[in-house]
Each structure stands twice: as structure tokens, then as C-alpha cells.
Amino acid sequence: MTITSAIVLYAVLWFMTFLIVIPIRLQTQGDVGEVVPGTHAGAPEHHNLKTKAKITTVAAAVMWGILYWIITTGVITVRDFDWFNRMGPAPVEATQ
């Protein structure tokens, strides 16, 4: 895994996790009962983005570590997903 692919993998994991974490414990203006005129009742009142960003960073780092280990050790490879045998036979490693 190159440094670029490692950074891209972490960024994708971070944003996907962040989009999952954002609605957790979200208090809307409708929940609080103080809807500002001109806004929707579903607009967030208390969003706690800093805390959610920290949680996301830790969760994404753990998932990235697990995926990094899986990719670098070869536990799961691209050939494991070749269900229709389109890649052909695997190359034979030279033994001496």
C-alpha cells in the first residue's frame, strides 16, 4: 500500500464514518421547542460537531488500522473477489 492510497483510504473512512456519526444524539429546534422564524423545525440546535469529529477520527483510525493489516498481510486479496474467474490463473511464485 502506497502512502497515497493509505491517505485516500483514511479520508474515505473518515468521511463515511462522519456522515454516520452526525445524526447521533442530534437535537433539532423542533425537539427543543425553540424554532427560529424562517428555519425548518428539523434544523439542528445542538450538534456537538467537535466531539463528533473526535469520535470519528478515533473510529476511522481503528478501522484504517484493521484494513491496513488486512491489505498488507494479504489475508484478503483482489483474487478473493474474482467470483467469475476473469483474472485468469494466479502467477506461480518461483521457488529455489
Side-chain angles (χ1 to χ4, degrees):
M1 175 182 290
T2 64
I3 188 73
T4 305
S5 61
I7 292 170
V8 168
L9 177 63
Y10 183 77
V12 168
L13 284 173
W14 194 93
F15 281 104
M16 286 178 63
T17 307
F18 192 57
L19 291 173
I20 292 170
V21 171
I22 284 176
I24 297 174
R25 293 189 180 179
L26 179 70
Q27 291 182 343
T28 63
Q29 292 179 11
D31 294 339
V32 177
E34 301 174 4
V35 180
V36 177
T39 62
H40 192 272
E45 181 68 28
H46 304 290
H47 48 73
N48 303 321
L49 281 180
K50 190 178 286 190
T51 305
K52 291 178 181 183
K54 290 177 185 177
I55 291 169
T56 300
T57 302
V58 171
V62 170
M63 288 186 290
W64 182 86
I66 293 168
L67 287 173
Y68 178 80
W69 177 78
I70 289 171
I71 292 169
T72 56
T73 59
V75 173
I76 299 174
T77 63
V78 174
R79 293 199 177 275
D80 294 331
F81 296 104
D82 185 24
W83 296 305
F84 301 110
N85 294 326
R86 293 183 178 159
M87 295 181 76
V92 179
E93 296 181 15
T95 57
Q96 296 178 1

